[in-house]
Amino acid sequence: MFGLNFNKQITDFLNQHLGEIGQVTDFDFSGGNVTISIELKGEKEIVTLRATELCYDVSDGKMNLYYSSLTATKEWLNEIFKMISAKTGNTFSFPDSLRLMPLKMLIPKKR
């Protein structure tokens, strides 16, 4: 439904917020998975991040985004992701007031 235009909008948004850190070179949001490739300053190779089996629910005014795994092509990032995942229970939460309806339309609701 949103396809490539949505992917471009997200890429543009991320690039605006990465600033001097780097630039997103590829963004793919399909099949309930997200893959982001980023050219980071100080890194010789592009870093690829991947979140799998995304789903969401809304409770207490928050949109909770769940994932099965969060990985990167850099081992040091994988270690950070393991710590974050253990601490958050594989969940990111956002105020539901952010109006992330397009995201809700692309991923399944948690059962």
Side-chain angles (χ1 to χ4, degrees):
M1 181 181 313
F2 296 98
L4 295 175
N5 188 37
F6 182 73
N7 287 348
K8 182 178 177 349
Q9 289 175 352
I10 295 294
T11 299
D12 291 346
F13 173 82
L14 291 172
N15 282 333
Q16 288 172 2
H17 289 82
L18 283 174
E20 298 298 316
I21 297 171
Q23 290 288 303
V24 172
T25 59
D26 188 42
F27 180 90
D28 179 48
F29 191 166
S30 59
N33 302 311
V34 174
T35 303
I36 305 171
S37 296
I38 306 173
E39 194 173 292
L40 292 171
K41 289 193 176 178
E43 291 289 341
K44 292 179 181 176
E45 298 174 4
I46 290 176
V47 176
T48 301
L49 314 173
R50 182 167 170 83
T52 61
E53 299 179 28
L54 296 171
C55 64
Y56 80 95
D57 69 12
V58 176
S59 63
D60 298 326
K62 292 186 221 170
M63 177 183 164
N64 303 301
L65 186 62
Y66 303 92
Y67 57 90
S68 177
S69 68
L70 187 58
T71 58
T73 55
K74 295 288 182 181
E75 192 56 37
W76 62 270
L77 270 175
N78 280 328
E79 293 303 316
I80 291 170
F81 288 164
K82 284 179 192 175
M83 289 186 289
I84 290 170
S85 295
K87 199 169 221 179
T88 66
N90 293 18
T91 307
F92 290 110
S93 295
F94 309 92
D96 197 40
S97 61
L98 287 179
R99 310 258 187 258
L100 298 171
M101 184 54 75
L103 184 60
K104 292 176 184 176
M105 295 175 80
L106 291 171
I107 60 176
K109 192 165 186 177
K110 187 174 181 184
R111 299 178 191 263

